[in-house]
Amino acid sequence: MFKNIGRIGIEMYLLFQHHTTLEILRNVSTDIDLFTITGTGWHFVKFLGPAVAVVGPDTRSERNPHQVMAGPTYQGLFPKVAMLPPSVQHCIWMVPVPLIYPRLEQAEQLANTMATGKKAVTGTFNALSRVTSGVAGIVGAKGVVGEGFNSVKKAVGKSGLMSGILSPFGEIDILDELRDQWTHESKDLERTYLVRTLQGISHNKSMRMTFFSGDVNCCGAGLVHDPSHPSDHKTMYQIISSSVVNAPPSGYVLRMLHNNKPLYIPANGHRSTNSPSDTKEDMMEIFTQDVNGQPREMRRLMGRRNYVACVAYDPEIVSGSFGATVGGGSGMGMGGGKLSLAVDFMVQGEGVYGVPMKYGPVIIPSLEYGRLGPRYGYELQSPSLGTARESRRAFSSSPVRMRDHHFDTLKFVQRLKDEGFTEEQAVAMMKVLSDVIEESPAPFYSIQNLTRTMVLREDQDRTTYTQKVDFAKLRSELLSADSTETSATRTSHERLTNELQKLNSRLRDEVERTKASVRLDLNLEKGRIREEAGMQEMKVKETETRIEQESAGLRERLESVKFQSVQWLL
C-alpha cells in the first residue's frame, strides 16, 4: 500500500511541479530537465545565471532506515557537480533535511528508553490479557474481559493518553523524526562522505557549497568551517527555513537544541566522535531579539514560520547599505565579478496578520582563492551579474616547457683551474660536460632534453584529476544509458506481458464460450434424439397393438370356421 502511495506521490510531483510524466522522462535522452542515475529517483541541476547553480538530489526515493541515497547515485551526482562550468561560483544544494543541525542526544536517549519501556509494558499487558481471557473463558466471561482490555488499550494507547507521543503506527513519534535526520547515527558515515566529497570538489573547482533545507519546523543558519583557515573550501553554509504549515517545535525542544557541545566532522570513512578535526560545526547566532523587540536567550534557532530571500550581489559595487551602489568610471557599477549571497530571514510577526520581521542578512562569500588555479587546470573568468559567457576548461595534453638549465662554462673552467687542473684539461672537461648537458651526440639522453620532456607534479595531478572526472562522467552516462535502456526494456517487457495476458484471457474466454456452445448443441441433440426415440417407440407399440388386434380377429375367424366345419360334418 505504501509503495503505491509513494508511486502516486512521485507521479503527482512530476506532473504538477515539473509538468512531465515518467513515460516522457524515460523517452528523453538528455538530462536538461530531470535525470535519473539508478532508475529510482529524479534529480536536477539548474542555473540561476552563470554564477549560481542549484542541485536538487532526490533524497526520498532511495531512503531507508540506513541510508538517504544509494552509492551509485552519489557516484553519478558528484561528476555532474565537478563538471559544472568554471563560471559557477556558488553551488546550492536543495536538501529537504538539514545536514548541519544541533543534536538531540538527550531526547533520543529518552525516546529509546520510552520505546524499550513501551515494548516491555505492551508485552506484559498482552500476556496478562491472554492469561486473564483464558481463565475467564472457563466461566464464560472471555468476551467481557477481552472488551475491557481493549478499552484500556484505546484509553491509554495511540488514540488516547499517548496520542501526543505515539505515531499513528504505535511508534514513538519523535524517535521516527530523529531517525530521519542526517545527524542521526544511522546516517553518520553517509553524511561525512557527502560533506568531505563536496569539500574536495569545492577545493578543485573554487566553488562555494551551500545547503538550503527545512523539515525541522524552525529556522536558522549554520556552517562547517576550519577555525584555522576561515572562509576556505572547507567552509559550507546551511540555511534552514521553517515550514509554513506545520506547528513549530516546543520551547523545551528548542532549549535542548541550544546546547554548547562542540561538534566536528571526522575524516571520511570514520564515525563521528566529536574529536577536534579540521572541520568544525557551528550554528550562527542571528536571532538576538524577538519579533516584539524583546531580547532572546535562544539566538540560534527561531520557532516561528518564515521564509528566506536570497540575493546574489558583487561586494565591490555595494556600499554599506544593501542595494546602494557606487559608480564606476562611466557611472555604472563595475565590480570584480566575485559574487556573494545575502540571505534574509523573513519571520512571521505577532498575531495572525503581524508584519514580518527581517533577520540578517547572512552573507555567504565566494571562494576567494584559487579562481585562477592553474594547479587544477582551470582557466576561470570572473563573471559579473550581467555576464553570461561561460569559460572553458583549459586542459592541454602538451606539457608546459620547463625552465632550461644554463651551464656557466667560464665559471666551471675557473673552478677547475683553482683545483689544480691545467687550462687545457679544464676546457676539455667543460666541453664534455656541456655535450652531456646540451649538445650530446645522443640528444634524447641529454639532461636538457630530459628536463624538457618531464612534467610537473601539478600537471600530472591535473591530468589525473581530469581523467578521473571524465571517467566518472562516462560511468555516469553509461549508468544513465543503462538505466534508460533497462527501463525501456522493462516497459516493453511489461507491455508484452500485459498483451500476452490479455490474449491468454481472450483465448480462455473463446475456449469457454466454444465449450459452452458445443455443450448446448450436444444437449439439444440429445433431446432431439430422445424425442425421436420416443416417437419410434410409440409407433412400434402402435404396430404391435394392430398386430395383436389382427391376430385376435384371425383367431376369432378360425374358431368360427372351425365351429361351422364341425357343424357341417355332424
Side-chain angles (χ1 to χ4, degrees):
M1 182 179 70
F2 283 102
K3 287 184 178 180
N4 287 329
I5 293 175
R7 176 181 56 80
I8 295 172
I10 292 175
E11 292 177 355
M12 295 299 105
Y13 163 73
L14 294 176
L15 181 61
F16 291 101
Q17 296 293 332
H18 296 277
H19 310 291
T20 186
T21 61
L22 288 172
E23 290 75 13
I24 295 176
L25 289 174
R26 286 170 178 165
N27 292 326
V28 175
S29 59
T30 61
D31 56 358
I32 297 176
D33 187 15
L34 293 173
F35 61 90
T36 182
I37 297 172
T38 61
T40 302
W42 297 94
H43 321 276
F44 65 84
V45 177
K46 303 291 184 180
F47 293 91
L48 303 179
V52 181
V54 180
V55 180
D58 187 344
T59 59
R60 286 295 169 186
S61 297
E62 297 176 334
R63 181 181 289 264
N64 60 39
H66 306 290
Q67 73 174 24
V68 178
M69 292 187 294
T73 301
Y74 287 106
Q75 296 173 7
L77 278 176
F78 289 148
K80 290 183 179 294
V81 178
M83 296 295 290
L84 288 175
S87 61
V88 176
Q89 302 180 35
H90 292 271
C91 181
I92 299 176
W93 287 73
M94 304 295 294
V95 184
V97 181
L99 276 87
I100 305 168
Y101 194 66
R103 308 299 191 267
L104 278 174
E105 296 178 352
Q106 297 178 353
E108 185 175 0
Q109 292 174 1
L110 179 61
N112 287 326
T113 304
M114 291 180 61
T116 304
K118 174 183 172 296
K119 290 181 181 179
V121 172
T122 303
T124 305
F125 185 84
N126 291 334
L128 180 62
S129 174
R130 287 194 296 269
V131 173
T132 308
S133 299
V135 175
I138 301 175
V139 297
K142 183 176 181 180
V144 176
V145 174
E147 185 177 355
F149 273 92
N150 291 332
S151 300
V152 174
K153 285 183 180 179
K154 291 180 180 179
V156 181
K158 59 188 178 184
S159 61
L161 296 176
M162 301 291 287
S163 59
I165 300 177
L166 300 180
S167 67
F169 303 100
E171 300 293 336
I172 305 297
D173 197 13
I174 190 173
L175 188 59
D176 182 64
E177 294 183 1
L178 291 174
R179 289 171 181 166
D180 198 47
Q181 300 290 327
W182 278 96
T183 53
H184 191 262
E185 61 178 1
S186 60
K187 316 295 189 305
D188 184 37
L189 291 175
E190 183 177 0
R191 174 176 177 265
T192 302
Y193 170 68
L194 175 59
V195 171
R196 289 300 187 180
T197 305
L198 292 184
Q199 285 180 341
I201 297 176
S202 177
H203 186 257
N204 293 331
K205 293 282 292 182
S206 297
M207 181 169 53
R208 180 71 67 195
M209 299 291 177
T210 305
F211 304 103
F212 275 40
S213 308
D215 199 57
V216 290
N217 305 331
C218 61
C219 60
L223 76 162
V224 291
H225 62 104
D226 187 351
S228 60
H229 300 87
S231 297
D232 68 349
H233 66 280
K234 292 188 285 293
T235 301
M236 296 188 289
Y237 289 82
Q238 171 74 72
I239 304 300
I240 305 171
S241 179
S242 65
S243 173
V244 296
V245 176
N246 294 336
S250 62
Y252 177 72
V253 174
L254 285 176
R255 188 170 296 276
M256 286 194 298
L257 290 171
H258 281 77
N259 57 72
N260 295 320
K261 183 178 180 180
L263 301 173
Y264 293 90
I265 303 295
N268 202 359
H270 293 76
R271 290 193 174 274
S272 297
T273 59
N274 292 325
S275 300
S277 67
D278 62 348
T279 304
K280 192 175 185 294
E281 183 177 346
D282 286 316
M283 296 297 295
M284 305 172 68
E285 296 184 354
I286 58 178
F287 305 105
T288 57
Q289 62 181 10
D290 211 334
V291 292
N292 55 9
Q294 297 295 326
R296 298 183 79 249
E297 179 183 358
M298 299 178 290
R299 302 179 178 181
R300 301 172 185 170
L301 297 171
M302 173 75 80
R304 289 180 178 271
R305 293 167 182 164
N306 75 98
Y307 65 92
V308 296
C310 180
V311 178
Y313 72 100
D314 193 332
E316 296 187 13
I317 62 173
V318 176
S319 61
S321 59
F322 183 76
T325 61
V326 292
S330 61
M332 297 180 61
M334 299 297 293
K338 296 185 181 297
L339 302 184
S340 297
L341 300 181
V343 181
D344 288 320
F345 290 87
M346 306 301 295
V347 181
Q348 183 182 17
E350 293 287 350
V352 180
Y353 303 103
V355 179
M357 184 173 181
K358 186 181 80 169
Y359 292 89
V362 176
I363 303 299
I364 304 175
S366 61
L367 200 54
E368 293 297 332
Y369 71 95
R371 293 301 299 174
L372 297 175
R375 65 174 295 187
Y376 301 109
Y378 291 94
E379 183 182 62
L380 304 182
Q381 298 176 354
S382 299
S384 62
L385 284 172
T387 303
R389 185 164 61 93
E390 296 183 357
S391 304
R392 298 186 62 186
R393 304 170 88 193
F395 290 134
S396 177
S397 58
S398 61
V400 180
R401 182 179 179 85
M402 300 287 292
R403 180 177 62 86
D404 290 339
H405 295 271
H406 297 286
F407 182 34
D408 192 343
T409 57
L410 179 62
K411 186 176 180 180
F412 183 71
V413 171
Q414 189 64 40
R415 177 94 177 264
L416 290 176
K417 290 171 66 177
D418 294 341
E419 295 293 334
F421 290 89
T422 64
E423 184 175 357
E424 292 78 7
Q425 292 174 339
V427 171
M429 293 180 65
M430 179 269 296
K431 290 181 179 180
V432 171
L433 189 58
S434 178
D435 290 339
V436 172
I437 294 176
E438 295 181 356
E439 302 296 334
S440 173
F444 294 102
Y445 298 99
S446 66
I447 296 177
Q448 186 69 42
N449 286 325
L450 286 176
T451 55
R452 287 176 180 175
T453 56
M454 291 181 180
V455 295
L456 291 174
R457 185 179 298 275
E458 290 102 1
D459 296 333
Q460 182 180 1
D461 294 341
R462 179 182 64 189
T463 305
T464 303
Y465 175 76
T466 306
Q467 292 175 352
K468 287 182 178 179
V469 171
D470 293 339
F471 278 117
K473 183 179 179 182
L474 177 61
R475 185 176 186 278
S476 174
E477 293 176 354
L478 290 176
L479 287 174
S480 178
D482 181 66
S483 63
T484 304
E485 292 295 332
T486 304
S487 301
T489 305
R490 188 184 300 111
T491 303
S492 301
H493 180 267
E494 292 177 353
R495 184 174 65 253
L496 292 175
T497 303
N498 293 333
E499 292 178 357
L500 288 176
Q501 290 178 352
K502 290 180 181 179
L503 290 175
N504 192 13
S505 177
R506 290 175 56 185
L507 180 61
R508 191 182 300 110
D509 293 339
E510 291 292 336
V511 171
E512 293 294 334
R513 190 160 44 247
T514 304
K515 288 171 62 178
S517 177
V518 170
R519 192 179 297 112
L520 179 60
D521 293 340
L522 290 176
N523 291 333
L524 292 176
E525 188 66 22
K526 287 180 180 179
R528 187 179 61 80
I529 292 174
R530 279 195 295 269
E531 290 179 357
E532 290 181 355
M535 292 177 62
Q536 293 294 331
E537 187 177 357
M538 290 179 62
K539 290 180 179 180
V540 169
K541 289 182 179 181
E542 290 178 357
T543 304
E544 289 178 351
T545 303
R546 285 199 300 270
I547 292 173
E548 290 178 355
Q549 290 176 355
E550 291 293 334
S551 298
L554 288 174
R555 281 194 298 271
E556 288 179 356
R557 284 198 296 270
L558 287 174
E559 290 292 336
S560 175
V561 170
K562 182 179 179 181
F563 181 73
Q564 289 177 0
S565 298
V566 171
Q567 286 182 349
W568 183 75
L569 290 174
L570 293 177

